[in-house]
């Protein structure tokens, strides 16, 4: 055995002596336990494991070993605008990206955003991200998106989208088909979905795009239940036409009726909850309280770094807070007192790991069990006063830990971060790309436009009725008539 920060490709790996959260069915917690990785998979989890000759050892003492986290909805291209829209509402986001400035992004700008977002993800222990990539105005943009994802040693799912065209249009081109056959090759590290929204227009203009997804055999992910944009009409159309399937991922699902939740539950789909986004942008109240009641599976997501950071610690923390906040508020409005919280810390850790795996149909990810792919995280920070005592490991992950505590990250058996440092990642090159993108956008918008963009006015358009330019449909369900 060797204790070193140099890891050879294919070398067996042992994380020794940690508090292990396998996130299996039993929710057991193992203390002083080892996790052995051989040939890219979890070989064993337990105490005092025998290891093969030449195994690299990482000391996990005083740390927590858990599955890599999975984000099921992140617009990675928008990371090039990190923090720019911190004070936006959803309406202002639509104005800036959908109606005005989203079309300024060139393929190299999508590359820059994706590259930085991908690096940010693995650094934070998010080993799988669904890149909800709706800035793909041309196939060149899509190639750039994939090039960036494939240059970073994380696991990604390209959810192909394009807010500048009707879904029926961009999914129907020969260039799109050619892209799919060239770039989506069954690579274990790169999954594929179609990403588009359903406005609720009774003409159902999105139907041909669903048919393409069905023909290609790929899941659809859709922003559903977004106040001001998508609502029950869209769910009903999808259901009536048989396009609600178990692999469909409904993002937000925050402003839907019980009828829509029943349809999602009955067809086996799952909801990607972006609590920080819902709280701040206005899609509706973070819906875990309702989704739990309907027995719909949940995964977590961060949505976009144009507002928030791309780590799932904040997603777990804020989801627990929002769920409990509503539970207390509702009880107190009735003169009651909540004595035991319904949503517990182990549940949000499960949503951040196995919940994501399940949403993506990846039963080989999301838990530390023999035979599963070795995507895992060691949370450990000897220099942090917050690292001890470690009394409630799930609570520690959800409420105490943060991205700076991510000590080691392993994806498919490969060490991509160790001792708090990324391994084999050129952050300087990513910074250079981002600088060029910011320069391009800033000079295109002009200094005044750039500053105004942080608090844009709503133009005299239909944006308050729906942000999609391919239909004039106005939904009473999202605008009170
Ligand atoms: Zn989104």
């Amino acid at each position: 055995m060797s204790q070193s920060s140099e890891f050879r490709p294919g070398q067996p790996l042992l994380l020794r002596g940690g508090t292990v959260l396998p996130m299996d069915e039993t929710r057991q917690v193992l203390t002083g336990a080892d996790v052995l990785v051989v040939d890219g998979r979890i070989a064993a989890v337990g105490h005092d494991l025998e290891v093969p000759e030449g195994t690299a050892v990482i000391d996990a003492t005083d740390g927590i070993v858990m599955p890599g986290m999975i984000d099921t909805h992140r617009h990675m291209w928008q990371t090039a605008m990190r923090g720019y829209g911190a004070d936006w509402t959803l309406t202002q986001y639509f104005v800036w990206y959908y109606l005005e400035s989203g079309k300024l992004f060139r393929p190299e700008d999508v590359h820059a955003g994706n590259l930085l977002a991908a690096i940010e993800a693995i650094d934070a222990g998010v080993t799988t991200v669904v890149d909800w990539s709706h800035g793909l105005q041309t196939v060149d943009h899509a190639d750039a998106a994939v090039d960036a994802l494939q240059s970073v040693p994380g696991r990604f799912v390209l959810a192909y989208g394009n807010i500048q065209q009707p879904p029926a249009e961009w999914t129907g081109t020969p260039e799109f088909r050619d892209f799919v056959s060239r770039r989506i090759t069954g690579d274990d590290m790169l999954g594929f979905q179609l990403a588009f929204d359903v406005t609720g227009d009774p003409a159902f203009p999105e139907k041909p795009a669903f048919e393409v997804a069905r023909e290609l055999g790929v899941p659809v992910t859709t922003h559903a239940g977004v106040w001001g944009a998508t609502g029950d009409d869209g769910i009903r159309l999808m259901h009536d036409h048989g396009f609600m399937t178990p692999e469909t991922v409904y993002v937000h699902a925050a402003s839907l009726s019980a009828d829509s939740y029943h349809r999602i539950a009955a067809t086996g789909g799952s909801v990607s909850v972006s609590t920080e986004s819902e709280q701040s942008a206005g899609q509706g109240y973070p819906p875990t309280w309702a989704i739990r009641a309907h027995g719909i599976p949940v995964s977590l997501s961060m949505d976009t770094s144009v507002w928030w950071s791309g780590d799932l610690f904040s997603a777990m923390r804020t989801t627990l807070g929002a769920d409990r906040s509503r539970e207390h508020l509702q009880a107190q409005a009735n003169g009651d007192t909540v004595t035991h919280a319904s949503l517990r810390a182990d549940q949000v850790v499960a949503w951040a790991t196995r919940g994501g795996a399940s949403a993506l149909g990846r039963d080989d990810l999301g838990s530390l069990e023999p035979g599963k792919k070795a995507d895992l995280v060691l949370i450990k920070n000897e220099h942090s006063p917050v690292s001890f005592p470690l009394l409630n490991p799930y609570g520690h992950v959800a409420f105490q830990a943060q991205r700076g505590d991510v000590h080691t990250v392993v994806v498919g058996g490969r060490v991509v971060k160790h001792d708090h440092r990324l391994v084999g990642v050129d952050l300087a090159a990513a910074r250079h790309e981002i600088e060029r993108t910011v320069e391009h956008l800033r000079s295109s918008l002009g200094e005044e436009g750039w500053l105004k963009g942080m608090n844009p006015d709503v133009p005299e358009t239909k944006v308050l009725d729906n942000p999609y330019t391919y239909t004039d449909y106005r939904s009473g369900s999202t605008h009170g008539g």
Side-chain angles (χ1 to χ4, degrees):
M1 287 191 280
S2 58
Q3 181 116 31
S4 121
S5 57
E6 301 287 308
F7 301 96
R8 294 193 313 275
Q11 184 180 21
L13 194 64
L14 183 76
L15 289 96
R16 176 188 275 163
T19 295
V20 179
L21 304 179
M23 302 315 295
D24 58 7
E25 295 285 354
T26 67
R27 301 274 165 92
Q28 62 180 321
V29 176
L30 305 171
T31 53
D34 304 339
V35 177
L36 177 65
V37 173
V38 178
D39 293 333
R41 291 180 186 268
I42 306 293
V45 179
H47 293 96
D48 305 317
L49 298 178
E50 298 269 335
V51 302
E53 185 75 26
T55 297
V57 177
I58 294 172
D59 179 11
T61 314
D62 300 325
I64 295 172
V65 183
M66 62 179 276
M69 289 166 271
I70 297 175
D71 183 321
T72 52
H73 152 245
R74 191 180 299 184
H75 308 292
M76 295 174 75
W77 62 293
Q78 297 179 347
T79 301
M81 296 298 289
R82 183 192 299 290
Y84 180 80
D87 296 318
W88 284 352
T89 61
L90 189 63
T91 298
Q92 290 176 306
Y93 168 83
F94 286 144
V95 169
W96 203 88
Y97 270 108
Y98 284 56
L99 299 183
E100 291 182 345
S101 305
K103 54 180 86 70
L104 297 174
F105 285 72
R106 306 161 300 177
E108 58 260 51
D109 303 318
V110 169
H111 189 281
N114 269 30
L115 180 62
L116 184 59
I119 295 171
E120 176 179 10
I122 58 171
D123 182 64
V126 182
T127 52
T128 299
V129 185
V130 174
D131 177 21
W132 220 104
S133 194
H134 55 0
L136 307 182
Q137 301 172 67
T138 70
V139 165
D140 289 342
H141 289 74
D143 276 310
V146 170
D147 288 345
L149 298 180
Q150 291 187 322
S151 71
V152 175
R155 213 180 281 282
F156 301 101
V157 175
L158 179 73
Y160 194 120
N162 176 7
I163 49 178
Q164 304 299 338
Q165 271 181 25
E169 207 166 292
W170 58 262
T171 55
T173 64
E175 296 80 23
F176 171 74
R177 293 304 182 107
D178 176 62
F179 169 85
V180 175
S181 54
R182 277 190 298 110
R183 304 304 299 261
I184 308 305
T185 55
D187 178 355
D188 184 49
M189 302 300 283
L190 183 71
F192 190 61
Q193 299 179 340
L194 292 191
F196 57 88
D197 297 343
V198 183
T199 59
D201 181 343
F204 199 24
E206 300 84 7
K207 188 179 176 207
F210 278 107
E211 284 164 345
V212 170
R214 179 181 283 167
E215 187 201 323
L216 293 172
V218 299
V220 170
T221 174
T222 186
H223 294 108
V226 173
W227 183 262
T230 61
D232 295 320
D233 297 337
I235 294 287
R236 209 158 33 239
L237 283 164
M238 286 177 68
H239 192 245
D240 290 350
H241 289 83
F243 293 121
M244 291 177 76
T245 67
E247 53 276 2
T248 309
V249 177
Y250 306 86
V251 175
H252 302 305
S255 50
L256 292 175
S257 66
D259 176 72
S260 288
Y261 290 131
H262 290 157
R263 292 174 197 252
I264 293 172
T267 51
S270 67
V271 170
S272 175
V273 176
S274 303
T275 303
E276 274 194 287
S277 180
E278 289 130 26
Q279 285 181 319
S280 193
Q283 293 90 342
Y285 198 90
T288 49
W289 60 278
I291 293 171
R292 286 192 288 104
H294 288 91
I296 298 169
V298 176
S299 61
L300 301 184
S301 58
M302 285 311 300
D303 203 348
T304 167
S305 289
V306 79
W307 277 272
W308 310 283
S309 74
D311 71 89
L312 287 181
F313 295 107
S314 50
M316 289 186 274
R317 189 170 304 173
T318 196
T319 299
L320 263 183
D323 195 291
R324 291 177 177 178
S325 177
R326 192 186 181 284
E327 188 173 33
H328 289 299
L329 188 68
Q330 198 179 34
Q332 290 161 17
N334 296 328
D336 294 334
T337 301
V338 175
T339 58
H340 296 68
S342 296
L343 185 60
R344 303 183 66 82
D346 67 320
Q347 186 62 59
V348 293
V349 179
W351 286 343
T353 53
R354 56 184 297 137
S358 169
L360 301 179
R362 293 289 306 248
D363 56 12
D364 58 341
L365 302 177
S367 67
L368 303 181
E369 297 173 89
K372 301 248 179 170
K373 297 271 165 59
D375 291 7
L376 56 85
V377 177
L378 168 61
I379 297 166
K380 167 172 170 160
N381 189 347
E382 288 164 329
H383 305 290
S384 167
V386 184
S387 63
F388 62 92
L390 186 50
L391 307 179
N392 175 344
Y394 293 113
H396 202 93
V397 171
F399 275 145
Q400 306 289 330
Q402 45 107 346
R403 59 193 306 149
D405 301 325
V406 173
H407 178 285
T408 295
V409 181
V410 176
V411 184
R414 175 175 171 181
V415 178
V416 302
K417 184 180 186 185
H418 179 62
D419 204 8
H420 301 282
R421 294 197 177 262
L422 289 162
V423 176
V425 167
D426 189 348
L427 192 57
R431 181 192 292 269
H432 187 59
E433 280 193 33
I434 289 289
E435 282 169 356
R436 279 182 303 188
T437 287
V438 170
E439 200 177 282
H440 159 68
L441 293 166
R442 205 166 178 145
S443 62
S444 302
L445 290 168
E447 203 51 29
E448 201 183 328
W450 174 265
L451 292 174
K452 187 71 203 159
M454 293 188 196
N455 188 21
D457 291 328
V458 180
E460 291 293 319
T461 69
K462 62 195 174 100
V463 68
L464 284 172
D465 297 292
N466 93 53
Y468 310 99
T469 51
Y470 61 90
T471 162
D472 292 324
Y473 180 66
R474 296 168 175 225
S475 169
S477 75
T478 54
H479 297 91

Short mmCIF file of all heavy atoms in Angstrom, two decimals, residues 11 17 22-24 38 62 135 141 176 207 222 224 232 266 273 288 384 391 406 429 431 472:
data_model
loop_
_atom_site.label_atom_id
_atom_site.label_comp_id
_atom_site.label_asym_id
_atom_site.label_seq_id
_atom_site.Cartn_x
_atom_site.Cartn_y
_atom_site.Cartn_z
N GLN A 11 -5.40 2.34 -10.54
CA GLN A 11 -4.88 1.86 -9.26
C GLN A 11 -6.03 1.68 -8.25
O GLN A 11 -6.88 2.55 -8.13
CB GLN A 11 -3.90 2.90 -8.72
CG GLN A 11 -3.20 2.53 -7.44
CD GLN A 11 -2.24 3.65 -7.00
OE1 GLN A 11 -2.38 4.80 -7.42
NE2 GLN A 11 -1.28 3.30 -6.17
N GLY A 17 -10.99 4.41 7.32
CA GLY A 17 -11.29 4.86 8.67
C GLY A 17 -12.24 6.04 8.78
O GLY A 17 -12.21 6.78 9.76
N PRO A 22 -23.31 5.09 3.29
CA PRO A 22 -23.43 4.38 2.01
C PRO A 22 -24.66 4.82 1.21
O PRO A 22 -24.71 4.62 0.02
CB PRO A 22 -23.55 2.90 2.42
CG PRO A 22 -23.15 2.84 3.86
CD PRO A 22 -23.47 4.18 4.44
N MET A 23 -25.66 5.42 1.88
CA MET A 23 -26.91 5.82 1.24
C MET A 23 -27.59 4.64 0.54
O MET A 23 -28.20 4.78 -0.51
CB MET A 23 -26.69 6.98 0.26
CG MET A 23 -26.09 8.22 0.88
SD MET A 23 -26.79 8.73 2.47
CE MET A 23 -28.46 9.15 2.01
N ASP A 24 -27.50 3.48 1.17
CA ASP A 24 -28.23 2.32 0.67
C ASP A 24 -29.64 2.35 1.26
O ASP A 24 -30.02 3.31 1.94
CB ASP A 24 -27.49 1.01 1.01
CG ASP A 24 -27.26 0.85 2.51
OD1 ASP A 24 -27.78 1.68 3.30
OD2 ASP A 24 -26.56 -0.09 2.90
N VAL A 38 -12.06 -0.64 -6.80
CA VAL A 38 -11.23 -1.42 -7.72
C VAL A 38 -11.88 -1.37 -9.11
O VAL A 38 -13.10 -1.56 -9.24
CB VAL A 38 -11.10 -2.90 -7.26
CG1 VAL A 38 -10.27 -3.70 -8.27
CG2 VAL A 38 -10.50 -3.00 -5.87
N ASP A 62 -11.80 11.11 10.76
CA ASP A 62 -12.43 12.39 11.08
C ASP A 62 -13.21 13.00 9.90
O ASP A 62 -13.61 14.16 9.94
CB ASP A 62 -11.42 13.44 11.59
CG ASP A 62 -10.72 12.98 12.86
OD1 ASP A 62 -11.38 12.31 13.67
OD2 ASP A 62 -9.51 13.26 13.01
N GLY A 135 -29.05 27.06 -24.36
CA GLY A 135 -28.45 28.15 -25.15
C GLY A 135 -27.85 27.63 -26.46
O GLY A 135 -26.98 28.27 -27.04
N HIS A 141 -22.83 25.42 -31.27
CA HIS A 141 -22.93 25.67 -29.82
C HIS A 141 -22.97 24.34 -29.06
O HIS A 141 -22.35 24.19 -28.01
CB HIS A 141 -24.19 26.48 -29.49
CG HIS A 141 -24.16 27.92 -29.93
ND1 HIS A 141 -24.30 28.29 -31.25
CD2 HIS A 141 -24.01 29.06 -29.23
CE1 HIS A 141 -24.23 29.62 -31.33
NE2 HIS A 141 -24.06 30.11 -30.12
N PHE A 176 -29.35 18.53 -36.24
CA PHE A 176 -29.55 18.03 -34.88
C PHE A 176 -29.37 16.51 -34.85
O PHE A 176 -28.67 15.96 -33.99
CB PHE A 176 -30.94 18.43 -34.37
CG PHE A 176 -31.32 17.77 -33.07
CD1 PHE A 176 -30.74 18.17 -31.87
CD2 PHE A 176 -32.23 16.72 -33.05
CE1 PHE A 176 -31.07 17.54 -30.68
CE2 PHE A 176 -32.56 16.08 -31.87
CZ PHE A 176 -31.97 16.49 -30.68
N LYS A 207 -45.45 19.09 -29.46
CA LYS A 207 -45.68 17.66 -29.69
C LYS A 207 -44.60 17.01 -30.59
O LYS A 207 -44.11 15.93 -30.25
CB LYS A 207 -47.07 17.46 -30.30
CG LYS A 207 -47.48 16.00 -30.40
CD LYS A 207 -48.88 15.86 -30.98
CE LYS A 207 -49.22 14.39 -31.17
NZ LYS A 207 -50.18 14.17 -32.24
N THR A 222 -38.22 19.11 -18.34
CA THR A 222 -39.04 20.28 -18.67
C THR A 222 -39.31 21.12 -17.43
O THR A 222 -39.57 20.58 -16.35
CB THR A 222 -40.36 19.80 -19.34
OG1 THR A 222 -41.11 20.91 -19.79
CG2 THR A 222 -41.22 18.95 -18.41
N ALA A 224 -41.62 22.72 -15.37
CA ALA A 224 -43.08 22.58 -15.25
C ALA A 224 -43.51 23.18 -13.91
O ALA A 224 -42.84 23.02 -12.90
CB ALA A 224 -43.47 21.11 -15.29
N ASP A 232 -50.47 23.92 -15.21
CA ASP A 232 -51.27 22.69 -15.34
C ASP A 232 -51.66 22.36 -16.78
O ASP A 232 -51.80 21.20 -17.13
CB ASP A 232 -52.54 22.82 -14.48
CG ASP A 232 -52.21 22.91 -12.99
OD1 ASP A 232 -51.30 22.20 -12.54
OD2 ASP A 232 -52.88 23.70 -12.30
N ALA A 266 -48.66 9.25 -10.96
CA ALA A 266 -49.23 8.07 -11.60
C ALA A 266 -48.38 7.58 -12.77
O ALA A 266 -48.39 6.40 -13.11
CB ALA A 266 -50.64 8.37 -12.09
N VAL A 273 -36.06 19.65 -7.64
CA VAL A 273 -36.37 20.83 -6.84
C VAL A 273 -35.13 21.72 -6.75
O VAL A 273 -34.05 21.26 -6.39
CB VAL A 273 -36.82 20.41 -5.42
CG1 VAL A 273 -37.06 21.63 -4.55
CG2 VAL A 273 -38.08 19.55 -5.50
N THR A 288 -41.30 20.75 -1.98
CA THR A 288 -41.08 19.42 -1.39
C THR A 288 -42.23 19.01 -0.47
O THR A 288 -42.56 17.83 -0.39
CB THR A 288 -39.75 19.35 -0.60
OG1 THR A 288 -39.68 20.48 0.28
CG2 THR A 288 -38.57 19.37 -1.54
N SER A 384 -10.62 23.14 9.90
CA SER A 384 -11.89 23.81 10.15
C SER A 384 -12.43 23.50 11.55
O SER A 384 -12.57 22.33 11.93
CB SER A 384 -12.92 23.36 9.11
OG SER A 384 -14.21 23.77 9.52
N LEU A 391 -21.35 14.33 15.40
CA LEU A 391 -22.32 13.58 16.20
C LEU A 391 -23.49 13.05 15.38
O LEU A 391 -24.05 12.00 15.68
CB LEU A 391 -22.87 14.49 17.32
CG LEU A 391 -21.79 15.16 18.19
CD1 LEU A 391 -22.44 16.06 19.24
CD2 LEU A 391 -20.89 14.12 18.86
N VAL A 406 -14.73 19.84 1.04
CA VAL A 406 -14.61 18.68 0.14
C VAL A 406 -13.12 18.39 -0.05
O VAL A 406 -12.41 19.14 -0.72
CB VAL A 406 -15.33 18.93 -1.20
CG1 VAL A 406 -15.05 17.79 -2.17
CG2 VAL A 406 -16.83 19.08 -0.96
N ALA A 429 -6.69 28.19 -17.56
CA ALA A 429 -7.22 28.19 -18.94
C ALA A 429 -8.71 28.53 -18.92
O ALA A 429 -9.20 29.28 -19.78
CB ALA A 429 -6.98 26.84 -19.59
N ARG A 431 -10.24 30.31 -16.67
CA ARG A 431 -10.34 31.74 -16.35
C ARG A 431 -10.13 32.61 -17.60
O ARG A 431 -10.85 33.58 -17.84
CB ARG A 431 -9.30 32.10 -15.28
CG ARG A 431 -9.35 33.57 -14.86
CD ARG A 431 -8.13 33.94 -14.03
NE ARG A 431 -8.10 33.28 -12.74
CZ ARG A 431 -8.62 33.80 -11.62
NH1 ARG A 431 -9.22 34.97 -11.65
NH2 ARG A 431 -8.54 33.15 -10.49
N ASP A 472 -48.21 32.71 -28.75
CA ASP A 472 -48.81 33.85 -28.05
C ASP A 472 -49.70 33.40 -26.90
O ASP A 472 -50.42 34.19 -26.31
CB ASP A 472 -49.65 34.70 -29.02
CG ASP A 472 -48.77 35.40 -30.04
OD1 ASP A 472 -47.66 35.81 -29.66
OD2 ASP A 472 -49.20 35.52 -31.20
#
